[in-house]
Amino acid sequence: MADITDTAAAAKRAAGYMAAGMVEDGMVIGLGTGSTVYHTIECLSGRIRDGLSVYGIPTSYQTAMRAREYGIPLTTLDDNPVLDLAIDGADQVDPGFRMIKGRGAALTREKCVAAAAFRFIVVVDESKMVPKLSGTVPVETLPFATKPAMAQLRGLGCRPFIREAVKKDGPVITDNGNFIVDCQFNEIGDPAAIEAAIAAIPGVVESGLFTRFLGNTTVIVGDDKKCGVFNSADIIT
Ligand code: 5RP
């Protein structure tokens, strides 16, 4: 069990646990990546021990390893191309439920899994809620075409940097064998337009901008006392 030492960690735990409580017997669920979803996995593990039957589709090697460790049966998009729900964290969420994801470099699988789910539950602490998206947007690129892709990304008004690995020389290699280009923006005025423009660049696999998951999204904002739960009716555009 994780050691809850500070308020942010307690908030993440509360959000992660609340999302796990929304999982129903027989569901196939997407398991996102990161420290908040870690708590969802932890809580689901207890519910499975108590008799809940679910299958998870992990969005990263890290999540697959954790899920196995916690006794969560896994499946694939090949066997289950449609999911009941996906649960994932985020780096920023704006009032229109547009998000930046990908700090953990799992953005491509996270977007595939979220897109395949009827319902997307986003678990965050209060610090992730922002009035406007800004800062670093991670973009996964084919190594073969990263340099020309970076030139085109620069044309969208950002400063792109290839993400460097820690405890390995050279670039981060994603679970899909690609690079991550961290694109530093100032304020992102029209996130949907930027997401579409990035997606149109040859050599780009995916970006960490998530602007198309509005109607079926629930955002759980963790708090150590009481979580906030926001649905599409709460979206401010
Ligand atoms: C990984 C992600 C994570 O979901 C996001 O970075 C949030 O992580 P955490 O819950 O640890 O704050 O997008 O690629």
Side-chain angles (χ1 to χ4, degrees):
M1 181 135 157
D3 186 23
I4 302 300
T5 51
D6 59 45
T7 312
K12 287 184 177 199
R13 181 171 185 241
Y17 270 49
M18 179 175 269
M22 294 174 171
V23 174
E24 294 170 18
D25 204 45
M27 280 185 165
V28 175
I29 57 171
L31 298 171
T33 297
S35 57
T36 317
V37 171
Y38 170 83
H39 295 297
T40 303
I41 291 170
E42 185 182 53
C43 182
L44 275 178
S45 169
R47 292 194 62 201
I48 287 169
R49 277 199 304 277
D50 291 343
L52 181 79
S53 172
V54 289
Y55 280 91
I57 299 184
T59 53
S60 62
Y61 288 133
Q62 185 195 49
T63 294
M65 288 158 74
R66 282 181 173 166
R68 285 199 183 93
E69 193 185 322
Y70 278 90
I72 298 175
L74 298 180
T75 183
T76 62
L77 285 177
D78 284 337
D79 290 330
N80 292 278
V82 179
L83 287 69
D84 295 290
L85 60 87
I87 302 171
D88 207 344
D91 302 313
Q92 292 183 15
V93 182
D94 81 3
F97 286 10
R98 292 164 295 220
M99 293 162 226
I100 297 178
K101 291 181 47 53
R103 174 203 49 78
L107 55 104
T108 298
R109 294 189 190 199
E110 289 173 336
K111 200 179 277 189
C112 292
V113 166
F118 277 117
R119 191 172 170 202
F120 187 30
I121 300 181
V122 178
V123 285
V124 290
D125 64 88
E126 179 67 36
S127 71
K128 309 290 186 66
M129 302 304 290
V130 297
K132 278 211 167 279
L133 301 183
S134 64
T136 301
V137 175
V139 176
E140 182 161 353
T141 59
L142 292 179
F144 173 77
T146 291
K147 279 296 163 101
M150 285 173 76
Q152 293 205 44
L153 287 163
R154 221 172 266 116
L156 299 178
C158 68
R159 288 180 301 135
F161 299 94
I162 295 174
R163 191 181 295 183
E164 291 287 318
V166 177
K167 294 192 179 176
K168 170 205 173 275
D169 292 341
V172 164
I173 307 295
T174 70
D175 291 358
N176 312 308
N178 297 315
F179 290 174
I180 292 290
V181 176
D182 283 321
C183 298
Q184 293 181 358
F185 284 89
N186 295 324
E187 198 168 280
I188 301 169
D190 185 344
I194 295 290
E195 181 182 9
I198 294 174
I201 296 173
V204 164
V205 179
E206 255 314 336
S207 84
L209 277 169
F210 284 48
T211 68
R212 284 168 285 152
F213 299 95
L214 309 180
N216 65 343
T217 298
T218 298
V219 179
I220 301 178
V221 184
D223 186 277
D224 53 349
K225 293 180 186 64
K226 192 172 182 301
C227 293
V229 181
F230 303 95
N231 290 302
S232 51
D234 302 303
I235 286 177
I236 301 167
T237 49

